[in-house]
């Protein structure tokens, strides 16, 4: 069984693989960040943010699940929460992910949730 740290590491590695395929220039950006001395964890978390934003088709003002500090209180830690910033939807996704044992850093939350649900149905 994977520990939460293992789950996060696997999700972050997947994000590092997926991010360059989702957006032109993203791979070069990630490489430049690493070459510039940014820690791998910081770069991988940025990659996860980028992937979630793309895969969830978020608008620039909308919140991805990785920005939710507390899924049970979506406004906790938020700098100026707004009614239409997607925090509630992102928190709902985070709660589903947590319930299914999916890392908050998974680059494609909807696909991960669907895969987990299918796996649970099969037994």
């Amino acid at each position: 069984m994977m520990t939460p740290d293992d789950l996060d590491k696997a999700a972050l590695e997947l994000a590092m693989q997926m991010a360059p395929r989702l957006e032109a220039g993203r791979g070069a950006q990630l490489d430049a960040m690493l070459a510039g001395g940014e820690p791998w964890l910081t770069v991988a978390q940025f990659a996860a943010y980028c992937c979630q934003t793309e895969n969830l088709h978020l608008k620039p003002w909308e919140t991805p699940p990785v920005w939710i500090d507390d899924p049970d209180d979506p406004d906790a830690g938020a700098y100026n929460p707004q009614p239409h910033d997607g925090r509630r939807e992102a928190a709902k996704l985070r709660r589903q992910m947590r319930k299914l044992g999916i890392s908050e850093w998974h680059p494609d939350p909807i696909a991960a949730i669907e895969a987990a649900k299918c796996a649970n149905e099969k037994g």
Side-chain angles (χ1 to χ4, degrees):
M1 182 167 154
M2 295 180 85
T3 66
D5 288 342
D6 292 337
L7 288 172
D8 288 344
K9 187 170 185 334
L12 290 166
E13 287 173 350
L14 181 59
M16 289 292 283
Q17 294 169 10
M18 188 180 284
R21 296 191 306 253
L22 289 176
E23 199 172 351
R26 186 66 70 202
Q29 181 185 25
L30 298 175
D31 289 343
M33 290 171 75
L34 291 169
E38 289 289 333
W40 182 87
L41 181 61
T42 300
V43 177
Q45 289 173 337
F46 173 71
Y49 154 75
C50 293
C51 288
Q52 286 187 0
T53 299
E54 284 293 316
N55 286 321
L56 296 171
H57 311 288
L58 299 179
K59 305 284 190 259
W61 59 87
E62 292 180 315
T63 304
V66 296
W67 280 4
I68 299 296
D69 291 335
D70 180 354
D72 297 319
D73 181 7
D75 292 336
Y79 170 73
N80 190 18
Q82 299 296 312
H84 303 290
D85 64 5
R87 296 187 74 69
R88 303 265 180 266
E89 294 83 357
K92 181 179 176 185
L93 278 176
R94 279 286 302 278
R95 287 190 301 273
Q96 288 179 298
M97 294 165 76
R98 180 176 58 194
K99 181 179 175 185
L100 294 167
I102 300 166
S103 169
E104 68 185 279
W105 299 105
H106 196 286
D108 195 345
I110 299 295
I113 288 168
E114 292 303 318
K117 285 179 179 178
C118 286
N120 286 344
E121 288 174 3
K122 291 181 182 179

